[in-house]
Amino acid sequence: MPDTSPPWPHAPPHWILQGGTYFVTAATYHRQRLFDSPEKLDVVTGILIDTAREFGWQLRSWAVFANHYHWLADSPAGSGESLRIWLTELHRRTAIEANQLSGTIGRRVWMNFRDTHITHQTSYLARLRYVNENPVKHRLVEQARDYKWCSAAWFETNAPKAFVESVRRFKIDRLRIWDDFDE
């Protein structure tokens, strides 16, 4: 009988070739709540923002939690090829820092990531809203802007008011996003 198993049974394929906007979700190993303090969440958020800048990616929205994160970003210079290298560095640095803070040097921190190349404006706007409101979805705050480790407050402060209102009206109930993390 021929083998009919998928070629990547434990990880999604990453066809990161084109430039543009990407939506990324990553989870900790076995969905463990490894970033379980404000200090650790600060570390992940800070390193996410710093490494995005270092690799030339423009973050549009982000949300960091105890066992996963989501973000939406534009690739540099028309190519998404640096995404894997950026995420490797992001995960390396955050793992080292989290393990030092926890006193567990060498522990595996990250499992894998899922990426989606966004090609339609409606997909972009829906994911922008989804990421910004994800702390509310996980019942961490009543208003997303009150969650320190996401871009909602930044977005409300820096984006044009009419754009913020348009994004808020965007439907997100039909999005299929891997986000079952039991916060």
PDB file of all heavy atoms in Angstrom, residues 5-11:
ATOM      1  N   SER A   5       0.702   9.665   3.601  1.00  0.00           N
ATOM      2  CA  SER A   5       0.858  10.699   4.623  1.00  0.00           C
ATOM      3  C   SER A   5       1.370  11.988   3.990  1.00  0.00           C
ATOM      4  O   SER A   5       2.076  11.962   2.989  1.00  0.00           O
ATOM      5  CB  SER A   5       1.826  10.233   5.717  1.00  0.00           C
ATOM      6  OG  SER A   5       3.110  10.030   5.175  1.00  0.00           O
ATOM      7  N   PRO A   6       1.018  13.114   4.573  1.00  0.00           N
ATOM      8  CA  PRO A   6       1.482  14.387   4.032  1.00  0.00           C
ATOM      9  C   PRO A   6       3.006  14.497   4.188  1.00  0.00           C
ATOM     10  O   PRO A   6       3.578  13.894   5.093  1.00  0.00           O
ATOM     11  CB  PRO A   6       0.758  15.435   4.879  1.00  0.00           C
ATOM     12  CG  PRO A   6       0.341  14.735   6.108  1.00  0.00           C
ATOM     13  CD  PRO A   6       0.184  13.281   5.748  1.00  0.00           C
ATOM     14  N   PRO A   7       3.661  15.263   3.331  1.00  0.00           N
ATOM     15  CA  PRO A   7       5.114  15.359   3.392  1.00  0.00           C
ATOM     16  C   PRO A   7       5.631  16.060   4.649  1.00  0.00           C
ATOM     17  O   PRO A   7       6.771  15.874   5.024  1.00  0.00           O
ATOM     18  CB  PRO A   7       5.481  16.146   2.139  1.00  0.00           C
ATOM     19  CG  PRO A   7       4.231  16.849   1.736  1.00  0.00           C
ATOM     20  CD  PRO A   7       3.090  16.007   2.234  1.00  0.00           C
ATOM     21  N   TRP A   8       4.804  16.874   5.309  1.00  0.00           N
ATOM     22  CA  TRP A   8       5.201  17.558   6.534  1.00  0.00           C
ATOM     23  C   TRP A   8       4.200  17.200   7.631  1.00  0.00           C
ATOM     24  O   TRP A   8       3.323  17.992   7.956  1.00  0.00           O
ATOM     25  CB  TRP A   8       5.204  19.072   6.353  1.00  0.00           C
ATOM     26  CG  TRP A   8       6.228  19.535   5.397  1.00  0.00           C
ATOM     27  CD1 TRP A   8       7.559  19.724   5.652  1.00  0.00           C
ATOM     28  CD2 TRP A   8       6.042  19.884   4.036  1.00  0.00           C
ATOM     29  NE1 TRP A   8       8.195  20.153   4.542  1.00  0.00           N
ATOM     30  CE2 TRP A   8       7.282  20.266   3.521  1.00  0.00           C
ATOM     31  CE3 TRP A   8       4.943  19.906   3.191  1.00  0.00           C
ATOM     32  CZ2 TRP A   8       7.463  20.660   2.214  1.00  0.00           C
ATOM     33  CZ3 TRP A   8       5.125  20.295   1.879  1.00  0.00           C
ATOM     34  CH2 TRP A   8       6.367  20.673   1.411  1.00  0.00           C
ATOM     35  N   PRO A   9       4.323  16.042   8.242  1.00  0.00           N
ATOM     36  CA  PRO A   9       3.299  15.633   9.198  1.00  0.00           C
ATOM     37  C   PRO A   9       3.290  16.421  10.501  1.00  0.00           C
ATOM     38  O   PRO A   9       2.294  16.462  11.181  1.00  0.00           O
ATOM     39  CB  PRO A   9       3.647  14.168   9.459  1.00  0.00           C
ATOM     40  CG  PRO A   9       5.101  14.064   9.152  1.00  0.00           C
ATOM     41  CD  PRO A   9       5.366  15.054   8.052  1.00  0.00           C
ATOM     42  N   HIS A  10       4.395  17.070  10.853  1.00  0.00           N
ATOM     43  CA  HIS A  10       4.459  17.735  12.160  1.00  0.00           C
ATOM     44  C   HIS A  10       4.626  19.243  12.064  1.00  0.00           C
ATOM     45  O   HIS A  10       4.769  19.911  13.068  1.00  0.00           O
ATOM     46  CB  HIS A  10       5.593  17.153  12.992  1.00  0.00           C
ATOM     47  CG  HIS A  10       5.414  15.694  13.240  1.00  0.00           C
ATOM     48  ND1 HIS A  10       4.390  15.197  14.003  1.00  0.00           N
ATOM     49  CD2 HIS A  10       6.093  14.629  12.775  1.00  0.00           C
ATOM     50  CE1 HIS A  10       4.467  13.879  14.027  1.00  0.00           C
ATOM     51  NE2 HIS A  10       5.491  13.510  13.285  1.00  0.00           N
ATOM     52  N   ALA A  11       4.643  19.766  10.870  1.00  0.00           N
ATOM     53  CA  ALA A  11       4.825  21.198  10.717  1.00  0.00           C
ATOM     54  C   ALA A  11       4.157  21.659   9.427  1.00  0.00           C
ATOM     55  O   ALA A  11       4.164  20.935   8.446  1.00  0.00           O
ATOM     56  CB  ALA A  11       6.309  21.538  10.680  1.00  0.00           C
TER      57      ALA A  11
END
